Amino acid sequence: MALLLISLSILIISSLLILLFCRSKEISACVFLWSLVAACGFGLWSALSVLCQKAMSLPLTGVDFRVHGTIPLGEFYIGIDALSAFFLLLFFILSLAAGIYGYGYLRDYTGQRNTGVHFALYHLLIIVITLVLVAKNAVLFLVAWEIMTFVSYFLITFYNESESVRKAGYLYLISTHVGVFCLLVMFLIMGAQAGSMNFDQMTATQFPLALAALLFMLAFVGFGIKAGFIPFHIWLPHAHPAAPTHISALLSGVVVKLGIYGLMRVMAIVKDFPLWCGVLLLIMAAISGVGGVLYALGQHEIKKLLAYHSIENIGIITLGLGIGMIGHAYHQETVAFIGYAGALLHTFNHAVFKGLLFLSAGSVIHCTHTGDMDHMGGLFKLLPWTGHLFLIGSLSICGLPLFNGFISEWLVYRALLEGVFHLDVFGIIFSSLAIVALALVGGLAALCFTKAFGVIFLGSNKSSEGHQGKEGRLSNIDIKEGDLMLRGPMILLAAICLWGGLFPANMVYFAFQGTQAITGLQIPFVLKEAVINPLLSATRVLSFGGVIFSVLALVRDFLVLHYPVRLTETWSCGYVKLSHRMQYTASSFARPILKIFRSALVFRVEGKISKEYFPAWTSLKSSVKDVSESLLFRPLFYVIKKFSRKLKWIQSGHTQTYILYVFLFLVILLVWKLI
Amino acid sequence: MLKILKTRFKQGCRTILFPKAKAPDLPQRYRGRPIIAGQNGSIDLGKIFFNPDSDIVYSNDYSMATSKREDLVLSQEREMALARALNERMLKIFGRSLKLRQVSAGGCNACELDLNVLNTPVFDLSRFGIQFVASPRHADGIVVTGPVSRNMREALLKTYEAIPEPKLVIALGGCAISGGIFSDSPQASHGLDTIIPVDLFIPGCPPHPLTTLDGLLRLLGRISS
Ligand code: SF4
């Protein structure tokens, strides 16, 4: 705990220092960098020291810090249990990487805005997120949560000169506020039931099942908006592309995960939910997973694509949570433990590989000055570091062996299979459907990243045709790899991806520690062994395969060394006017799959395919409409707007009228009190 | 399917035993290698059309493919030099598996049709490991038919370029060898060997499948004279 407090105080002091020196770009950036490294170091240390405890005493004591009576109804009461520690671990890793990257990214920024303020806000965000994660009091939690929303709003709208960025920021602000409303109600009900706003008392309280269901619904909507479940996800694909890259990484890696954290916290507080809650969660998870990846397939904008993948991964995480809840409702602790552990581990892994993907996508955008994948291509030779790092991220997110995504998806699969073996007919049906959904998600994700990687890095460059030489090299824009400040954080994250995939024991162990905090039960040691051991032997075999494969690849490279390499044009069936735009684009690659799913998506192709032998002019545009955005929320907003226009007369804009309102209100209160 | 199997069974094996045994006798009206004896001057196999109303006398001999362009010119003084096998290194690469890409460069399509006949059960080209493939990237060589019209020239060059080294080029039919009946046209070129190096010339208009097969097998060293 002391370590965490040190880290927090470093952040507070340094953010003040940054604001003090924000006139000088160099000093503020320097303070930012070093304080960030120090604070994250201490933070990581504190998280690890909690996670590494061998036997956890339940409930956790001795690591709390409280200041009585600071806020009305609440107090400044923080403490780290294994669940908080697990999230702190991923949070500090990612904020370290994203912060260093942001330092490198904004160093050669020459615009009007003050980067010092941005850095100070970044520190403030770290502080409030840490508070959200360690708060043991509902009021503190809500206050920190609100501040976090505002701070992240300011960080997202860094490039606020553009209209779309401002709009995305508003959308984020409004939709998360709707969420906060639900959370407020939820915590008030919990507090009323427990007689205290402290999480400890709430945990000790027994909630009746009906109330638990209500609380679950409130938490589901409130935290679901933050987490980006379909159909509450609409803010997500707009906010991610609008934000600067390091902020999108943090947004997708951590802020979205706080929704998951909130759900887990509620599960830890209200232990017993009716069965249908778990089933609902499982269904929504499957919808989010499949929907997210399908929408991602239809995107042309790289950051938007990654944003939709966040929704997909939230779906996978929630599948784990859902099966965990179902297992809990059936009193099958094995299912619950493995499900929760899978969800937790995937949360960590997703934060790492999605951070990596966002950062490398940011490097690509930095070099090409566009986010449109259809204008990229052939960047692998020009940006070898970024290319390989993006590849590692893609392999991880697809859940392929030797990378960390595989381990967590394995755990989720394992939980679902345990569900098939241990539950009754009802449970079996849902677990097997969830397995099918997970498999579908995995396959489509692999397809989507084949598309993303292929269109961005392979082939030849599709932009500004007139300016490139024969091999598709750009000659007018010189594309250069970023320096160590940009590359370093990515390498760190990629290393964690590989470490998590090759030596999974530690992370799985940590995830199990976290599940103890959720369920409040001690995990039998046998179970840990039973889950970890097959995983270890599988990774051992797979890494052996990996070693053989790489040796073979090296041998091949060595043998080919002696043969001359001949570069020729792409084979185009003898077509003479070959151009760089005649390649697979993001749209054409995804079209066959999207066509299959067109009953579930609004997939539109505008323009017509010319049937003449010598087509003179033709245009084609394909797009995937977000169903919940365009069919659910836009009409809803429209109705609300119309309705609120009728109430416009209240807001007259005259100060006198407002004073009158206040006066009338006071009179009403007085009268009410008198009666 | 049962019907097909039954027919197959009834018909038995139709594949000719060539080159292990002699090829079946060709009918009298087949016009093969011209008989040079009694003629004056020379005959260029790449330029004649093997038509019945010329004053050339034709034999029944189908083997006519050569490795060099000048070998196609028959004269009193010289024996006909049929195609020779590839060198040791090339044979090692192509001897047992040869994938070819066909380029139809402006001919009348009869050559392609008779090339196609090689894939029928009677000739069964694939038993020699020779196959036609769809992409030059998979091919070891090209078979060019037609006079390489001006519009096809670049496409042909691109195909040639697209084939990985080492590569073979086979000129099939009078058109490809010399421009054939189109040789007067300004649109046609005068022989494939003026554009790219050719390894095998197979004369005929169109060449009989046996002529083609014989040429290919000689090139691969399966038949030696
Ligand atoms: S050689 Fe004769 S048969 Fe072959 S394409 Fe030319 S004209 Fe047609």
Side-chain angles (χ1 to χ4, degrees):
Chain A
M1 197 70 229
L3 292 167
L4 192 70
L5 288 176
I6 295 175
S7 143
L8 283 179
S9 29
I10 292 176
L11 287 170
I12 293 171
I13 295 169
S14 58
S15 57
L16 290 178
L17 276 180
I18 293 171
L19 281 180
L20 202 64
F21 291 118
C22 69
R23 280 295 160 86
S24 149
K25 229 176 122 182
E26 281 76 44
I27 299 180
S28 62
C30 194
V31 173
F32 169 75
L33 189 66
W34 290 112
S35 58
L36 180 79
V37 172
C40 289
F42 279 115
L44 280 176
W45 190 359
S46 70
L48 282 175
S49 65
V50 173
L51 283 175
C52 287
Q53 282 171 15
K54 268 278 169 317
M56 306 281 289
S57 51
L58 292 166
L60 279 162
T61 45
V63 285
D64 296 347
F65 173 80
R66 59 201 295 182
V67 180
H68 285 281
T70 38
I71 324 171
L73 264 183
E75 53 181 335
F76 190 83
Y77 181 22
I78 58 178
I80 313 180
D81 62 355
L83 184 60
S84 306
F86 192 85
F87 275 87
L88 282 178
L89 181 70
L90 79 90
F91 168 58
F92 280 120
I93 290 177
L94 201 65
S95 50
L96 179 66
I100 298 177
Y101 185 92
Y103 166 79
Y105 198 73
L106 292 180
R107 206 175 23 179
D108 26 287
Y109 169 76
T110 48
Q112 292 289 313
R113 267 170 305 270
N114 195 328
T115 47
V117 177
H118 184 79
F119 288 146
L121 280 172
Y122 190 87
H123 271 356
L124 189 58
L125 185 70
I126 301 182
I127 297 171
V128 287
I129 291 183
T130 313
L131 283 185
V132 166
L133 289 175
V134 294
K136 294 196 93 177
N137 179 288
V139 178
L140 179 65
F141 181 91
L142 281 175
V143 170
W145 184 271
E146 268 301 273
I147 301 178
M148 176 192 76
T149 306
F150 275 106
V151 175
S152 45
Y153 165 74
F154 286 121
L155 289 172
I156 289 172
T157 52
F158 182 69
Y159 296 115
N160 54 14
E161 66 269 7
S162 101
E163 169 90 36
S164 64
V165 171
R166 287 201 301 269
K167 270 197 173 156
Y170 278 134
L171 188 62
Y172 168 70
L173 206 57
I174 293 169
S175 35
T176 38
H177 265 103
V178 177
V180 170
F181 170 72
C182 297
L183 296 185
L184 199 63
V185 177
M186 181 190 78
F187 278 124
L188 282 179
I189 296 176
M190 281 185 185
Q193 193 75 13
S196 157
M197 289 304 260
N198 280 352
F199 287 165
D200 289 346
Q201 270 92 330
M202 290 185 187
T203 316
T205 317
Q206 267 296 330
F207 292 92
L209 267 192
L211 195 62
L214 177 67
L215 290 175
F216 170 78
M217 284 314 291
L218 288 170
F220 179 69
V221 176
F223 289 121
I225 289 178
K226 203 65 159 187
F229 292 145
I230 288 179
F232 310 130
H233 67 281
I234 48 163
W235 65 272
L236 214 147
H238 293 281
H240 281 65
T245 298
H246 53 289
I247 302 299
S248 346
L250 207 59
L251 212 58
S252 161
V254 178
V255 176
V256 166
K257 299 295 153 38
L258 289 181
I260 298 293
Y261 169 75
L263 273 180
M264 288 182 175
R265 186 50 79 194
V266 171
M267 285 175 196
I269 292 174
V270 190
K271 299 236 159 36
D272 296 307
F273 290 100
L275 176 62
W276 63 262
C277 294
V279 174
L280 179 74
L281 207 56
L282 207 64
I283 293 172
M284 294 313 284
I287 293 176
S288 298
V290 178
V293 71
L294 280 179
Y295 283 133
L297 260 176
Q299 301 307 316
H300 315 248
E301 232 261 56
I302 170 155
K303 275 191 171 178
K304 234 176 179 173
L305 181 137
L306 292 178
Y308 274 115
H309 268 288
S310 296
I311 300 173
E312 172 232 313
N313 277 283
I314 288 290
I316 297 178
I317 293 167
T318 321
L319 275 181
L321 271 186
I323 191 68
M325 277 181 84
I326 292 179
H328 201 83
Y330 274 113
H331 300 293
Q332 289 291 346
E333 305 306 343
T334 327
V335 182
F337 276 132
I338 304 178
Y340 288 143
L344 266 177
L345 191 58
H346 201 69
T347 311
F348 176 82
N349 289 343
H350 178 241
V352 176
F353 56 63
K354 187 48 77 64
L356 172 61
L357 284 170
F358 262 116
L359 296 187
S360 39
S363 295
V364 170
I365 295 174
H366 198 58
C367 298
T368 54
H369 307 290
T370 170
D372 192 346
M373 288 200 284
D374 287 346
H375 290 158
M376 297 176 182
L379 296 177
F380 202 62
K381 287 196 195 104
L382 303 174
L383 302 171
W385 278 95
T386 313
H388 281 100
L389 292 169
F390 190 89
L391 186 62
I392 292 180
S394 314
L395 292 171
S396 313
I397 200 174
C398 296
L400 293 179
L402 304 187
F403 297 92
N404 59 359
F406 173 72
I407 307 294
S408 42
E409 284 196 27
W410 163 301
L411 279 183
V412 177
Y413 271 118
R414 177 80 196 263
L416 292 170
L417 286 174
E418 295 278 338
V420 172
F421 291 131
H422 293 309
L423 304 182
D424 65 358
V425 181
F426 189 66
I428 290 174
I429 291 174
F430 278 104
S431 326
S432 22
L433 283 180
I435 292 177
V436 173
L438 189 55
L440 186 63
V441 169
L444 289 174
L447 189 81
C448 191
F449 272 92
T450 312
K451 160 184 140 168
F453 184 77
V455 171
I456 297 173
F457 289 104
L458 305 182
S460 61
N461 201 292
K462 291 183 260 305
S463 65
S464 57
E465 221 175 308
H467 298 289
Q468 38 196 352
K470 204 176 173 187
E471 279 110 68
R473 275 167 203 265
L474 295 178
S475 51
N476 57 339
I477 324 165
D478 54 335
I479 289 187
K480 272 204 316 286
E481 192 72 75
D483 63 359
L484 208 63
M485 282 300 154
L486 296 181
R487 234 185 293 151
M490 295 198 265
I491 295 174
L492 171 75
L493 292 177
I496 296 176
C497 281
L498 273 171
W499 171 76
L502 293 175
F503 309 102
N506 280 347
M507 280 321 295
V508 178
Y509 179 76
F510 289 164
F512 273 117
Q513 300 285 69
T515 55
Q516 290 188 345
I518 300 178
T519 53
L521 300 171
Q522 192 88 37
I523 303 180
F525 193 68
V526 202
L527 177 65
K528 266 189 223 174
E529 293 291 294
V531 174
I532 295 183
N533 281 346
L535 202 52
L536 284 185
S537 48
T539 37
R540 223 170 292 136
V541 173
L542 287 168
S543 23
F544 189 60
V547 169
I548 292 179
F549 180 77
S550 27
V551 167
L552 285 179
L554 282 179
V555 168
R556 177 193 169 273
D557 279 357
F558 178 73
L559 290 180
V560 167
L561 223 57
H562 303 294
Y563 291 96
V565 175
R566 198 169 58 103
L567 277 181
T568 58
E569 208 179 49
T570 309
W571 168 239
S572 56
C573 288
Y575 188 67
V576 185
K577 282 242 158 74
L578 187 65
S579 95
H580 289 290
R581 294 190 51 207
M582 294 178 184
Q583 297 179 61
Y584 261 123
T585 60
S587 342
S588 58
F589 189 85
R591 196 183 117 103
I593 293 290
L594 291 178
K595 255 182 102 177
I596 298 175
F597 287 97
R598 70 174 174 275
S599 47
L601 293 166
V602 183
F603 172 55
R604 270 211 206 116
V605 179
E606 285 152 36
K608 68 173 201 320
I609 298 167
S610 181
K611 292 252 161 63
E612 298 151 49
Y613 287 120
F614 299 104
W617 189 89
T618 181
S619 84
L620 204 68
K621 193 177 158 214
S622 77
S623 59
V624 171
K625 285 250 167 344
D626 198 318
V627 177
S628 65
E629 186 184 328
S630 50
L631 297 184
L632 191 68
F633 283 97
R634 276 192 196 280
L636 192 72
F637 287 160
Y638 182 73
V639 172
I640 292 175
K641 212 168 157 187
K642 251 193 151 172
F643 181 70
S644 51
R645 208 168 275 156
K646 296 227 171 83
L647 292 174
K648 218 174 163 187
W649 56 269
I650 299 178
Q651 298 276 3
S652 61
H654 297 296
T655 325
Q656 290 91 332
T657 334
Y658 290 115
I659 294 176
L660 183 68
Y661 290 158
V662 175
F663 180 69
L664 283 178
F665 188 66
L666 280 178
V667 169
I668 292 171
L669 279 186
L670 264 176
V671 172
W672 184 46
K673 200 68 198 175
L674 284 179
I675 299 166
Chain B
M1 196 186 78
L2 280 179
K3 226 178 190 174
I4 299 175
L5 283 180
K6 211 174 119 198
T7 332
R8 272 328 222 179
F9 186 73
K10 224 156 81 191
Q11 290 181 342
C13 178
R14 296 229 162 164
T15 312
I16 54 174
L17 282 175
F18 181 79
K20 278 197 199 108
K22 214 172 78 46
D25 286 333
L26 293 168
Q28 267 313 302
R29 59 174 200 281
Y30 170 70
R31 293 179 297 280
R33 190 198 299 179
I35 296 167
I36 194 79
Q39 302 267 340
N40 34 13
S42 57
I43 301 174
D44 186 348
L45 287 182
K47 281 193 174 147
I48 57 173
F49 311 129
F50 296 85
N51 49 341
D53 44 1
S54 70
D55 28 321
I56 304 172
V57 190
Y58 296 99
S59 75
N60 225 351
D61 187 359
Y62 54 80
S63 24
M64 284 183 280
T66 63
S67 300
K68 291 209 198 85
R69 176 72 180 88
E70 55 269 24
D71 290 345
L72 285 176
V73 185
L74 300 185
S75 62
Q76 303 281 12
E77 297 88 59
R78 227 152 35 97
E79 271 277 293
M80 177 162 193
L82 289 169
R84 282 175 306 276
L86 294 164
N87 62 30
E88 196 91 338
R89 189 177 145 258
M90 295 282 259
L91 272 187
K92 210 176 148 208
I93 303 174
F94 296 141
R96 275 140 50 99
S97 158
L98 181 65
K99 308 285 160 192
L100 296 168
R101 157 88 195 196
Q102 208 267 320
V103 178
S104 174
C108 78
N109 276 174
C111 278
E112 289 88 333
L113 275 176
D114 269 353
L115 196 60
N116 230 352
V117 172
L118 283 178
N119 284 325
T120 57
V122 176
F123 296 96
D124 192 14
L125 191 63
S126 40
R127 72 194 147 123
F128 304 108
I130 307 174
Q131 257 171 3
F132 287 96
V133 289
S135 165
R137 290 278 192 241
H138 307 158
D140 303 315
I142 40 175
V143 179
V144 183
T145 55
V148 193
S149 60
R150 216 198 287 170
N151 277 340
M152 275 305 290
R153 189 186 163 98
E154 192 150 347
L156 172 70
L157 285 176
K158 281 185 177 240
T159 319
Y160 178 70
E161 181 70 21
I163 296 172
E165 296 277 1
K167 43 194 162 192
L168 293 177
V169 178
I170 297 166
L172 186 80
C175 281
I177 294 169
S178 70
I181 49 171
F182 302 107
S183 54
D184 296 338
S185 163
Q187 300 292 330
S189 49
H190 300 278
L192 185 64
D193 51 338
T194 59
I195 306 172
I196 45 178
V198 179
D199 300 280
L200 182 67
F201 297 88
I202 304 174
C205 189
H208 191 276
L210 267 178
T211 314
T212 314
L213 186 60
D214 172 80
L216 285 172
L217 292 182
R218 277 175 201 277
L219 191 71
L220 295 183
R222 302 280 183 90
I223 302 176
S224 44
S225 29

